[in-house]
Amino acid sequence: MFNDDMILWYRQPAKEWVEALPIGNGRLGAMVFGGIQRERIQLNEDSLWSGKLIERDKPGAAKYLPAARRLLFEGKYAEAEKLVEEKIMGLRIEGGIHTYQTLGDLELFFEPQSKVSDYRRELDLDSAIARIDYRVGDATFTREVFSTAVHQAIVVRLDCDKPGMITFDASLSRPKDANIEAVAPNLIVIHGHLNDGNGVKFSAQLKLLPEGGKLMIADKGLRVENADAVTLLLVAATNYRGEDPRAVCENQLTSAAKKNYAELRRAHVAEHQRLFRRVELRLGKSGTVNLPTDERLAALQKGSDDPQLIAQYFQFGRYLLISSSRPGAMPANLQGLWADGLNPPWNADYHININIQMNYWPAEVCNLAECHEPFFDLIDALRPRGRITAEKTYNCRGFTAHHTTDAWHFTSAIGSPVYGMWPFGAAWCCQHLWEHYVFSGDREFLAKRAYPIMKEAAEFFVDYLVEHPKSGYLVSGPSTSPENRFRTTDGQVACLTMGATMDHQIIYDLFTNCIETSKILGIDEDFRQKLEYMLSRLAPMKIGSDGRLLEWPEEFEEPEPGHRHMSHLFGLHPGRQITLRGTPELADAVRKTIDYRLSHGGGHTGWSRAWIINFFARLEDGEQAHENVLALLRQSTLPNLFDNHPPFQIDGNFGGCAGIAEMLLQSYCANPSRKSGAGEIHFLPALPKAWTDGHFRGLRARGGLEVDLTWRDGRATSAVLKASIMGKHRLRPPSGQQIAEIRSGGDVLLLHHGEAETILIDVQAGQTYELIFR
Ligand code: FUC
């Protein structure tokens, strides 16, 4: 059955925002509280941003770069940092000025009820509908709320199995900058201009469509008395996309109001399921499955295991991506789409030094490639400002961006060097363009959309890298290894170096992806040769005296050995420079690095924990990956399954979802430089003992494949590969197993592959391949 355990549910309304249930259509989101007497539906529109684009690059910064580099080469770290702080860092703006904000609240006030029973509040991930049911006497009330991508509206339906029972007041409110008016007995209109004019103009409209009963304007807004049922339609827009928000709202409302509730609901569910139902996951049965979600989570936190809740958490990640990042919408921000108040943490912006990338780790493997698109739009939109920053701050060509950006697409190095002096944000983002190609094999996307951006990001580093005066290697800098510090032997505590490990790993990734693109498309040979030459001169990674991978070019003492960022492990994940079989010494050093970080309190934020799951999955350590999945749920997960980074940050949800997929299926892209040209697909690379029996359907592997797989007693039994493009793949069975048979279209392609570790297979577009393991 598909919708096995797909429902988050509770026996009480949400008291706190982090207990409410999220719905969204990529653009319009809401948190549904489910109160009996007062329903609060907190609203968001993804472009509701205050602030604007302003000049933030420090004038004349580039001329101080050589001096900062010289100081770093001479080991004068603290002095270099001071110089960078004073002369290079651009303008940081206090939180709450350029920020994502709430659209406001839709509230429904019901008559006081004395005898309420059988209360239930739920979110069905499979239909993307939040629902509240309760009984008063012999009447059953139901409330459904969803945000439809088809009709671009939030729809609320109030119903009762007895006629004439629905009476309530409805209001719209916003803490600031809003004019609100009930303009007709069935219509509330709200409009405003954020931060007294420093931000977007916005509009929202609420229409009430009662069946039976009476409708009137009332003190709080509108009032409905004794209706049989009521449909509420809420639309909203801003001028961020260059449109008149009122006109957009009017059009949306008119078109949504032409449909009845059943039609709106049907279209919404079908559209959601088109994406959501592509993947199925079962990890085994749990004893706590009949408990409400908060009680199940509490049981898990007390030490029980709950593989079904883990599978649900995985699907919740997919649900959140569908709900917060649809084509044409803004990308998922630090809180996805959902943020309360006027001043969310870090402005709920787009941090590009791990957070937004982590948001999109599940996109391809979890079969939601189109949800990746808003991120590509953001990367593209960084180019105009990124060129200016490259030139003004570094005197370089190409484009660059630093640790964070926002709806206004600033790219400058801002604030303090420990987080801000890091021109690798855009380069890391570019990995996603490449991955989208690698998963799909879409050459047109690679040629027209991805490569021009990747190339421009690479051009920056062609100019930026400098020769180390002693070693002669090319090195990056001045830059921080996000957002960590070191202590030198002479007691300086600093953060900037020349040649931080992560910098070079990101450059390796970007250059390699550009080189491979040039080969695939047969273009840009000169540029490719230049990148190949520069890569051959890039300072290599180093292993320290205790066997750990060095984070900086020298072996410094670490004041915070359990730091949440593990930047220098980028090469293992999400990069592909370090692999268990390709670079065993480095993989071993990475392992020691993770163990050390964890033994010093690492992984204390949800996103950090989620990254560790992915690391252990790549290291093929299923037990440790599983321990960290449990830790993510036990230590960093809120009652509504949101990732806890007080109050909430969505990256941990997405990183956890991707990590679970990475434990079950891994793939490496075909490498045109390798003779066979084959990529590798590894089945169940990190299956923990706790997931004894299970099944997945619809995960994607690089090279245009969809994979289904079943396992029993910890051993794979069968798999199905569906190829969307032709290609060669190296298939790696789970450790200790072999592939006994491959069949396609009634033909046996292989019978028992002997002792070879992997087998090579040619696949044809549109063909299905059935594998039997032994
Ligand atoms: C980085 C992280 C923090 C937080 C913030 C949004 O600065 O170090 O933990 O996730 O981004």
Side-chain angles (χ1 to χ4, degrees), residues 605-633:
T605 64
W607 64 259
S608 175
R609 183 68 70 189
W611 202 356
I612 294 169
I613 300 167
N614 286 275
F615 290 144
F616 278 123
R618 288 260 167 113
L619 292 173
E620 299 175 18
D621 186 334
E623 296 315 312
Q624 280 304 315
H626 181 243
E627 275 305 307
N628 283 280
V629 171
L630 290 176
L632 180 63
L633 280 150

Side-chain angles (χ1 to χ4, degrees), residues 5-10 19-22 120-125 129-131 291-294 296 309 312-313 315-316 319 638-642:
D5 205 15
M6 268 325 152
I7 295 178
L8 280 66
W9 72 278
Y10 306 84
E19 293 171 22
L21 295 170
R120 180 184 162 106
R121 171 173 67 101
E122 67 169 47
L123 175 66
D124 181 359
L125 304 180
I129 295 177
R131 183 181 164 108
L291 291 178
T293 306
D294 46 352
R296 265 174 100 172
L309 187 63
Q312 190 184 81
Y313 183 87
Q315 291 289 23
F316 184 57
Y319 167 87
L638 294 156
N640 64 357
L641 300 191
F642 267 178

